[in-house]
């Protein structure tokens, strides 16, 4: 006979919520006892029994039963086996609908703390790497074309900013997750004098939900997490892309440590940046997880519908992917070596200083548009002559403008970077300021959420 119940079973994935489910049930039992909804004695039996269930699960001795479908039924049934009929009183004034909403919120709050910590660890590694090479100048790119010299540290601090915005998004998500749904019942509230403020306090929620129908059917907090996770992975994917390019022989900017490269089975010279490639690739699945849940939600009428059970696997997948990425990235960043000589020599390449030559003419009084035209001609001349800007004689410079003086030869990568001395610019003193601001931020917020 076909086993149709396989279709509805969720125990193989919702069992990861067991700690949160039991914590919720313990708080609920205490509340029922305090309020005289069940006897103090039964409440005590239930609380002790749930402690035993938790221990069994932790010790891998719990008899999971697929025919009981989900985590909630497994735990309730086991509780019955352990303490007898008192177990039947636990589900008074509660439904699996507000129960599972509670579990997901408790779980998400825990995961958010880990997520933010993982982002901070990544930021810490970025700052350590930036500090190690604080004054190194590299080519900065637009359109993947060498554009202007920038500090390597400035480039890394761009990612610090992205991850800081991610942290803001996750903290914002925490605020909206931090709402207790328990006490909403199946959809309409409960017909007992349930003390929801006590429950919120016991379980560490900032507030209680205002509408029972919304509370049992709302999964916005999961979507908030998934949306923030998708953006966060996009940032990791961009950084991965740079690491992959930088570690190619063509660029030769960095070398990844051995743990974060793999060889090829047939090409002995290969050092493949697999970890960075996988982070880039895994970004796709997190986008998919977001799209999956958005699509699950879009047609649901009020209130609970079983479709909502489909919130879990994609969400857990996104969480696992993010947390795994945080396991890898901080160490991978710490372990990479920058070829300072190579990036510095490319940064001094003369065509990247063309803007500086135009700025030089502006400082001598020429309108910028005119200066731009002069330098464009100058570059063309260099190209036809096969010369760098620095190799031109004064006589050649004067063919293009009288404003050129001997000091045009002082233009180099260092002068170029130092000139960008405005807030947010790449001048070494600005970058040093940003670096210490970033370090202070990381230290002062280390214990926030
Ligand atoms: N396993 C279910 C879920 O994850 C629990 C809630 C079931 N509620 C119900 N009315 N069948 O959504």
């Amino acid at each position: 006979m076909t086993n149709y119940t396989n279709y509805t079973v969720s125990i193989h994935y919702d069992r990861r919520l067991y700690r949160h489910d039991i914590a919720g049930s313990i708080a609920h039992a205490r509340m029922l006892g305090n309020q005289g909804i069940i006897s103090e004695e039964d409440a005590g039996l239930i609380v002790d029994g749930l402690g035993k269930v938790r221990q069994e699960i932790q010790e891998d001795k719990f008899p999971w039963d697929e025919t009981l479908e989900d985590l909630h039924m497994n735990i309730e049934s086991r509780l019955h086996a352990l303490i007898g009929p008192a177990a039947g009183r636990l589900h008074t004034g509660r439904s699996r609908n507000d129960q599972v909403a509670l579990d997901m919120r408790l779980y998400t709050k825990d995961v958010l703390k880990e997520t933010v910590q993982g982002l901070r660890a990544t930021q810490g590694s970025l700052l350590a790497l930036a500090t190690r090479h604080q004054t190194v100048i590299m080519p900065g790119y637009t359109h993947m074309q060498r554009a202007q010299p920038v500090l390597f540290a400035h480039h890394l601090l761009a990612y610090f900013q992205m991850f800081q915005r991610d942290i803001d998004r996750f903290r914002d998500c925490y605020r909206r997750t931090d709402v207790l749904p328990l006490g909403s019942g199946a959809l309409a509230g409960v017909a007992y004098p349930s003390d929801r403020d006590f429950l919120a306090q016991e379980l560490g929620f900032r507030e209680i939900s205002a509408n029972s129908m919304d509370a049992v059917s709302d999964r916005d907090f999961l979507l908030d997490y998934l949306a923030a996770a998708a953006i966060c992975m996009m940032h990791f994917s961009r950084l991965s892309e740079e690491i992959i390019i930088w570690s190619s022989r063509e660029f030769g900017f960095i070398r990844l440590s051995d743990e974060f490269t793999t060889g090829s089975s047939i090409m002995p010279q290969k050092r493949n940046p697999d970890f960075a490639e996988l982070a880039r690739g895994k970004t796709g699945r997190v986008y998919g997880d977001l799209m999956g849940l958005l699509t699950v939600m879009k047609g649901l009428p009020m209130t609970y519908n079983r479709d909502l059970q489909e919130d879990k696997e994609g969400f857990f997948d996104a969480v696992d992917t993010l947390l795994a990425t945080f396991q890898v990235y901080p160490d991978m960043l710490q372990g990479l070596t920058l070829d300072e000589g190579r990036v510095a020599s490319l940064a001094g390449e003369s065509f990247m200083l063309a803007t500086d030559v135009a700025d030089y003419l502006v400082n001598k009084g020429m309108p910028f548009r005119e200066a731009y035209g002069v330098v464009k001609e100058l570059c063309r001349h260099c190209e036809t002559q096969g010369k760098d800007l620095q190799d031109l004689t004064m006589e050649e410079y004067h063919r293009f403008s009288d404003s050129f003086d001997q000091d045009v030869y002082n233009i180099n990568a260092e002068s170029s970077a130092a000139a960008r001395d405005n807030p947010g610019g790449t001048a070494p003193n600005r970058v040093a300021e940003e670096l210490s601001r970033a370090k202070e931020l990381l230290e002062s917020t280390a214990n926030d959420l």
Side-chain angles (χ1 to χ4, degrees):
M1 213 182 77
T2 316
N3 182 3
Y4 297 115
T5 56
N6 276 345
Y7 202 68
T8 57
V9 173
S10 59
I11 189 62
H12 50 291
Y13 54 82
D14 67 12
R15 64 163 85 169
R16 78 157 75 186
L17 299 170
Y18 79 90
R19 279 185 294 114
H20 307 94
D21 192 75
I22 290 172
S25 290
I26 287 176
H28 185 65
R30 288 209 177 107
M31 184 278 290
L32 293 174
N34 293 346
Q35 296 294 97
I37 300 170
I38 65 174
S39 70
E40 290 283 1
E41 194 194 336
D42 283 345
L45 280 172
I46 292 170
V47 170
D48 290 349
L50 286 168
K52 280 194 202 109
V53 172
R54 179 164 48 203
Q55 199 169 350
E56 285 185 354
I57 299 176
Q58 269 157 5
E59 292 170 2
D60 228 356
K61 291 180 184 146
F62 187 88
W64 296 106
D65 183 354
E66 291 241 324
T67 62
L68 294 168
E69 267 191 20
D70 64 17
L71 171 76
H72 325 295
M73 301 307 282
N74 264 270
I75 290 179
E76 201 179 318
S77 149
R78 183 67 189 146
L79 186 65
H80 200 272
L82 290 172
I83 68 167
R89 299 193 187 276
L90 169 62
H91 215 50
T92 315
R94 177 176 90 165
S95 147
R96 273 192 291 163
N97 298 352
D98 56 352
Q99 185 179 357
V100 76
L102 171 69
D103 293 1
M104 288 303 277
R105 282 179 187 268
L106 285 171
Y107 174 80
T108 303
K109 283 176 64 178
D110 275 354
V111 152
L112 277 163
K113 288 176 198 151
E114 274 183 74
T115 304
V116 169
Q117 287 313 320
L119 277 163
R120 294 223 171 95
T122 310
Q123 283 183 318
S125 286
L126 281 172
L127 294 185
L129 189 59
T131 307
R132 218 192 302 153
H133 305 287
Q134 203 180 318
T135 56
V136 176
I137 303 179
M138 68 182 287
Y141 293 79
T142 62
H143 312 272
M144 273 305 280
Q145 309 279 321
R146 283 182 212 156
Q148 288 179 342
V150 291
L151 265 66
F152 178 66
H154 195 54
H155 194 132
L156 294 182
L157 282 168
Y159 284 93
F160 182 92
Q161 293 296 328
M162 294 179 221
F163 293 137
Q164 192 56 37
R165 290 194 294 275
D166 290 328
I167 289 174
D168 284 350
R169 269 183 282 272
F170 283 116
R171 295 187 64 189
D172 197 37
C173 168
Y174 189 92
R175 192 172 55 79
R176 276 189 293 273
T177 306
D178 201 8
V179 180
L180 175 94
L182 194 60
S184 300
L187 76 161
V190 296
Y192 301 90
S194 158
D195 185 350
R196 300 191 64 207
D197 292 322
F198 170 85
L199 289 172
Q201 212 169 23
E202 280 281 291
L203 294 167
F205 283 96
R206 198 172 56 103
E207 57 185 305
I208 64 173
S209 56
N211 182 297
S212 60
M213 296 177 76
D214 179 42
V216 294
S217 65
D218 170 31
R219 296 294 183 271
D220 290 3
F221 61 104
L222 299 181
L223 290 169
D224 277 342
Y225 184 98
L226 287 167
I231 296 174
C232 177
M233 282 306 290
M234 177 271 286
H235 292 150
F236 275 100
S237 189
R238 292 183 67 183
L239 182 53
S240 299
E241 176 69 13
E242 308 230 53
I243 287 175
I244 292 161
I245 293 173
W246 288 350
S247 63
S248 69
R249 277 288 280 273
E250 283 71 9
F251 272 73
F253 286 11
I254 59 165
R255 186 182 166 89
L256 289 165
S257 65
D258 291 343
E259 305 108 285
F260 298 110
T261 54
T262 57
S264 149
S265 52
I266 57 165
M267 296 169 280
Q269 83 284 11
K270 288 292 276 295
R271 289 175 61 82
N272 298 330
D274 293 35
F275 286 77
E277 289 172 318
L278 280 166
R280 190 176 58 182
K282 285 172 187 290
T283 303
R285 57 194 292 162
V286 176
Y287 289 3
D289 295 329
L290 170 62
M291 286 308 136
L293 185 56
L294 280 169
T295 312
V296 165
M297 299 304 295
K298 73 178 274 291
L300 296 187
M302 286 278 112
T303 52
Y304 182 87
N305 299 274
R306 191 63 179 271
D307 315 44
L308 287 172
Q309 180 167 297
E310 290 292 315
D311 63 352
K312 291 179 194 61
E313 283 170 293
F315 181 69
F316 294 158
D317 179 70
V319 167
D320 292 346
T321 304
L322 244 69
L323 297 185
T325 304
F326 300 146
Q327 289 295 311
V328 166
Y329 242 94
D331 292 344
M332 184 167 74
L333 289 172
Q334 288 279 0
L336 66 79
T337 32
L338 178 70
D339 187 338
E340 294 196 352
R342 170 143 175 91
V343 296
S345 73
L346 290 175
E349 192 233 31
S350 80
F351 287 120
M352 281 209 300
L353 303 171
T355 319
D356 293 272
V357 178
D359 291 337
Y360 168 92
L361 292 172
V362 169
N363 279 327
K364 303 268 175 185
M366 193 180 284
F368 180 79
R369 272 297 155 224
E370 196 184 322
Y372 175 92
V374 169
V375 178
K376 196 165 181 166
E377 290 303 317
L378 207 56
C379 288
R380 199 166 295 158
H381 173 76
C382 284
E383 258 177 301
T384 54
Q385 302 292 306
K387 282 183 171 180
D388 279 344
L389 281 166
Q390 289 102 326
D391 303 334
L392 297 180
T393 63
M394 210 20 58
E395 188 271 318
E396 280 176 296
Y397 270 118
H398 282 156
R399 266 188 247 162
F400 296 89
S401 167
D402 294 337
S403 305
F404 284 116
D405 253 315
Q406 207 50 35
D407 54 356
V408 72
Y409 295 110
N410 296 341
I411 297 174
N412 58 21
E414 283 71 26
S415 74
S416 170
R420 266 95 203 146
D421 185 9
N422 67 324
T426 197
N429 57 314
R430 297 288 180 176
V431 173
E433 256 171 47
E434 279 309 311
L435 202 49
S436 48
R437 214 193 305 277
K439 282 177 188 163
E440 268 165 41
L441 180 69
L442 202 54
E443 270 165 39
S444 66
T445 54
N447 299 315
D448 296 2
L449 172 60

